[in-house]
């Protein structure tokens, strides 16, 4: 893969974003095979050495192929060989978060149920906790947060049943809330500032009964503090929502949302958990392929967006939208990297800059690829 560089200056940005492979040895060794059919990737400091590691979920087609592959970071942006876990169950997603109260990040796998792979504290996993889901299909997305205020991790999942399912730590049973469509993505964030994590859910395939008819929407459910939620507030969009990210894009102290569909939409929080929706960029002939990352890529102190997208007829791409710090963004910059998904932004080599990792799907191999950001502030 060639180096990719985009340089801009001007009123709103003084740095440049330059992304190069994560090695000085050869251009191919920033690619890490990670099983057969990777579908999702997450990052976290699994071995607690201060450096973010990678974990990949697979939907394998070969009997005996493992569903989870862990890549431990050497600390310089390169990674050790894959350690595999699990059976050949067909995973649909994965996140890294602390679930068991021991401060070691665990791995939550979405397969036939919800599986928590318990971290032994050193980035190895030797026992699982499983939680059933109502659907016969794997969950499509999960958020983990203390929803009921008891200090323990709870789970909120979306699946193809047009509902959000809640598994609270204090209960052995599931509860659910019907949605106006099929959930595709979910984040837990305190949108109204009351100290309780709320839920924002991306939707597709809205019910025909919805008026006006629309292809997608964002549902916001405000938490009442005990794991129960107020009636959902629906924000209709013109296309199915593939991903949601929560961050404070206008630096006002309130979490905003971005929703990725045919357009990239900004939901600016008005400070009370309601949102003003605007289009950041219309992708036109570009179409999104899921996942997005928010980080200050150009070193100007403002959050930027990295988006996997594609031009017509291509298999994927990488777009960067540089934030101005006020909730607006510069025009999308196309890095021309194809066949990607599941973007992650983390400081993989401890140089103070966020770098990008993504799943690389091409005709020769599947795996994770890392690009090191060498922006000049």
């Amino acid at each position: 893969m060639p180096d990719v560089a985009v340089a801009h200056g001007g009123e709103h940005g003084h740095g440049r974003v330059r992304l190069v492979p994560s090695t000085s040895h050869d251009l191919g060794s920033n690619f890490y095979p990670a099983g057969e059919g990777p579908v999702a990737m997450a990052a976290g400091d699994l071995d607690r050495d201060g450096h973010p590691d990678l974990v990949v979920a697979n939907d394998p087609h070969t009997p005996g192929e493992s569903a989870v592959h862990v890549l431990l970071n050497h600390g310089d942006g390169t990674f050790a060989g894959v350690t595999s876990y699990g059976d050949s169950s067909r995973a649909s997603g994965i996140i890294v978060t602390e679930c068991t109260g021991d401060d070691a990040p665990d791995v939550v796998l979405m397969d036939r149920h919800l599986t928590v792979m318990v971290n032994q504290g050193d980035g190895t996993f030797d026992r699982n906790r499983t939680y059933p889901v109502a659907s016969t299909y794997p969950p499509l997305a999960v958020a983990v947060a203390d929803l009921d205020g008891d200090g323990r991790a709870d789970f909120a999942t979306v699946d193809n049943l047009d509902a959000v399912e809640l598994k609270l730590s204090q209960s052995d049973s599931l509860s659910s809330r019907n949605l106006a469509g099929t959930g595709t993505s979910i984040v837990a964030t305190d949108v109204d500032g009351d100290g309780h994590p709320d839920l924002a859910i991306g939707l597709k395939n809205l019910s025909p009964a919805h008026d006006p008819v629309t292809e997608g929407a964002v549902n916001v459910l405000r938490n009442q503090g005990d794991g129960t939620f107020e009636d959902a507030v629906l924000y209709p969009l013109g296309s199915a929502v593939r991903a949601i990210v929560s961050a404070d894009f206008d630096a006002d102290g309130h979490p905003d949302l971005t929703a990725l569909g045919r357009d990239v939409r900004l939901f600016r929080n008005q400070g009370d958990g309601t949102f003003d929706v605007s289009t950041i960029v219309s992708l036109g002939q570009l179409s999104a392929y899921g996942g997005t990352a928010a980080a200050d890529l150009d070193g100007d102190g403002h959050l930027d967006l990295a988006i996997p997208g594609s031009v017509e007829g291509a298999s994927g791409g990488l777009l960067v939208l540089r934030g101005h710090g006020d909730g607006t963004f510069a025009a999308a910059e196309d890095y021309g990297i194809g066949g990607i998904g599941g973007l992650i932004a983390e400081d993989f080599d401890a140089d103070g800059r966020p770098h990008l990792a993504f799943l690389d799907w091409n005709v020769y191999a599947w795996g994770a690829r890392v690009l090191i950001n060498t922006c000049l502030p």
Side-chain angles (χ1 to χ4, degrees):
M1 174 183 291
D3 293 1
V4 181
V6 175
H8 291 281
E11 177 183 358
H12 295 291
H14 304 287
R16 67 180 183 182
V17 181
R18 180 175 171 82
L19 302 172
V20 300
S22 62
T23 175
S24 59
H25 305 296
D26 66 84
L27 296 183
S29 60
N30 70 317
F31 177 81
Y32 301 91
E36 182 181 275
V39 294
M41 183 166 63
D45 185 10
L46 299 176
D47 55 4
R48 297 196 286 186
D49 64 352
H51 308 297
D53 309 299
L54 294 173
V55 58
V56 178
N58 283 270
D59 181 3
H61 306 289
T62 302
E65 173 71 22
S66 296
V68 178
H69 300 273
V70 173
L71 295 157
L72 295 181
N73 191 345
H74 291 140
D76 59 357
T78 65
F79 292 79
V82 164
T83 302
S84 300
Y85 296 90
D87 57 22
S88 56
S89 59
R90 304 188 66 179
S92 60
I94 199 165
I95 64 171
V96 173
T97 188
E98 199 281 305
C99 297
T100 55
D102 60 0
D103 295 325
D106 306 300
V107 171
V108 181
L109 179 69
M110 288 159 269
D111 49 16
R112 293 183 299 268
H113 28 244
L114 206 59
T115 299
V116 176
M117 297 171 53
V118 179
N119 193 344
Q120 301 307 295
D122 57 359
T124 63
F125 304 84
D126 68 357
R127 59 191 175 96
N128 295 342
R129 297 179 181 177
T130 59
Y131 302 94
V133 294
S135 173
T136 57
Y137 296 94
L140 299 175
V142 61
V144 180
D146 181 12
L147 299 175
D148 56 5
D150 68 352
R152 295 182 290 177
D154 307 303
F155 302 91
T157 66
V158 291
D159 53 38
N160 63 352
L161 295 181
D162 293 0
V164 55
E165 294 183 15
L166 303 174
K167 171 63 179 72
L168 302 181
S169 60
Q170 60 181 314
S171 173
D172 292 330
S173 62
L174 293 169
S175 62
S176 65
R177 288 281 300 269
N178 291 332
L179 299 172
T182 302
T184 61
S185 49
I186 185 169
V187 294
T189 185
D190 183 10
V191 300
D192 53 9
D194 65 356
H196 308 301
D198 310 298
L199 298 176
I201 302 169
L203 301 177
K204 67 177 182 178
N205 301 334
L206 262 66
S207 166
H210 178 73
D211 185 27
V213 175
T214 182
E215 295 180 40
V218 170
N219 251 355
V220 177
L221 286 78
R222 293 168 63 177
N223 191 348
Q224 300 186 95
D226 58 358
T228 63
F229 294 82
E230 298 178 5
D231 291 340
V233 178
L234 190 73
Y235 294 86
L237 301 178
S239 63
V241 177
R242 297 180 181 270
I244 291 181
V245 64
S246 175
D248 185 7
F249 292 103
D250 55 7
D252 66 353
H254 306 295
D256 309 303
L257 304 171
T258 56
L260 185 62
R262 281 199 299 263
D263 299 330
V264 183
R265 302 291 184 97
L266 174 67
F267 290 66
R268 293 186 67 174
N269 195 333
Q270 302 303 292
D272 58 359
T274 63
F275 296 88
D276 178 54
V277 184
S278 61
T279 299
I280 299 175
V281 60
S282 178
L283 297 179
Q285 290 186 326
L286 299 171
S287 59
Y289 276 82
T292 187
D296 180 14
L297 295 171
D298 57 5
D300 66 353
H302 308 311
L303 286 176
D304 311 305
L305 282 172
I307 299 169
S310 70
V311 296
E312 187 175 4
S315 60
L318 173 60
L319 304 177
V320 172
L321 283 70
R322 300 174 66 210
H324 298 154
D326 58 0
T328 63
F329 293 80
E333 299 163 352
D334 190 346
Y335 278 60
I337 304 174
I340 74 171
L343 273 171
I344 293 170
E346 290 283 354
D347 183 5
F348 291 111
D349 62 0
D351 69 350
R353 303 181 182 102
H355 313 294
L356 296 180
F358 56 86
L359 293 176
D360 190 343
W361 299 302
N362 59 61
V363 296
Y364 303 107
W366 294 303
R369 193 175 293 276
V370 177
L371 296 179
I372 295 298
N373 181 5
T374 61
C375 71
L376 301 177

